[in-house]
Amino acid sequence: MNSEPVPAPSGAAEPDDAEVGRRFAAGDEQALALAYERWAGQLHGMAVRAFGPGPDAEDVTQQTFISAWTGRARYRPEQGPLPAWLVGVCRHKIADAWARRDRMRREAEAAVSEAQATPAGGTTPPVDSVVTDRMLVLEELERLGQPQRGIIELAFFADLTHAQISERTGIPLGTVKSHIRRTLERLRTRLEVDGAALPA
């Protein structure tokens, strides 16, 4: 009698969602890959609805899986399915991203308001040119669609180089440069109307 084990068929079924959840909680990296394969599209769709297609949505999707994996000890398979838990993590990441945007906007608005106020001595406090530039960029972003908006945010707020933006977004370097150049030209026009000018 042949006692050798029978190999599993090559088309063996993949683990179901519940098994993926249990293995994910146990730290199985293959389960992380399976979770990404099965649910990244759903989470990316949530992020796109919040920010539009582009780098912001992609970053939120990646941050969701990074946060979920590093915080997997908080996931309890017996309390609910893994995709539902991932959706909760994604909602937190979306909220965090909106909070960062709002905080930057408030800080810029406050700095501009303070700079425009003239004290009793009659002298105007110096304007922080970086904050002023960011305020103008924030206003301009309201007029932009994607991918231009994502490119400008990465350039001004993440301080990435043109090459880094191209690498992160997959957009050709020449296209990245042209989007940034056109936006800066619009900003220069706005500043000139206000009696100021961007440095050359």
Side-chain angles (χ1 to χ4, degrees), residues 44 47 54-64 66 93 100 154 168:
H44 183 256
D56 285 345
E58 294 166 7
D59 285 349
V60 164
T61 304
Q62 293 173 3
Q63 290 166 13
T64 295
I66 291 170
K93 292 301 173 186
R100 282 195 301 273
L154 290 173
R168 177 177 291 196

Side-chain angles (χ1 to χ4, degrees), residues 55-139:
D56 285 345
E58 294 166 7
D59 285 349
V60 164
T61 304
Q62 293 173 3
Q63 290 166 13
T64 295
F65 279 95
I66 291 170
S67 179
W69 181 247
T70 57
R72 61 188 178 276
R74 296 191 299 272
Y75 171 59
R76 297 289 184 269
E78 67 275 7
Q79 294 179 0
L82 180 58
W85 186 71
L86 291 173
V87 165
V89 176
C90 187
R91 285 175 178 155
H92 281 294
K93 292 301 173 186
I94 289 172
D96 288 346
W98 277 119
R100 282 195 301 273
R101 283 188 175 191
D102 289 343
R103 185 170 60 252
M104 287 191 300
R105 189 184 305 276
R106 287 195 303 271
E107 289 173 353
E109 289 173 348
V112 170
S113 296
E114 181 179 348
Q116 290 173 342
T118 303
T123 58
T124 303
V127 178
D128 185 333
S129 61
V130 174
V131 173
T132 303
D133 288 348
R134 290 196 173 203
M135 181 62 188
L136 290 167
V137 171
L138 283 167
E139 292 176 0

Side-chain angles (χ1 to χ4, degrees), residues 2-27:
N2 188 355
S3 60
E4 293 182 0
V6 178
S10 58
E14 288 188 345
D16 61 18
D17 290 355
E19 177 64 17
V20 171
R22 287 190 292 271
R23 288 167 55 180
F24 184 95

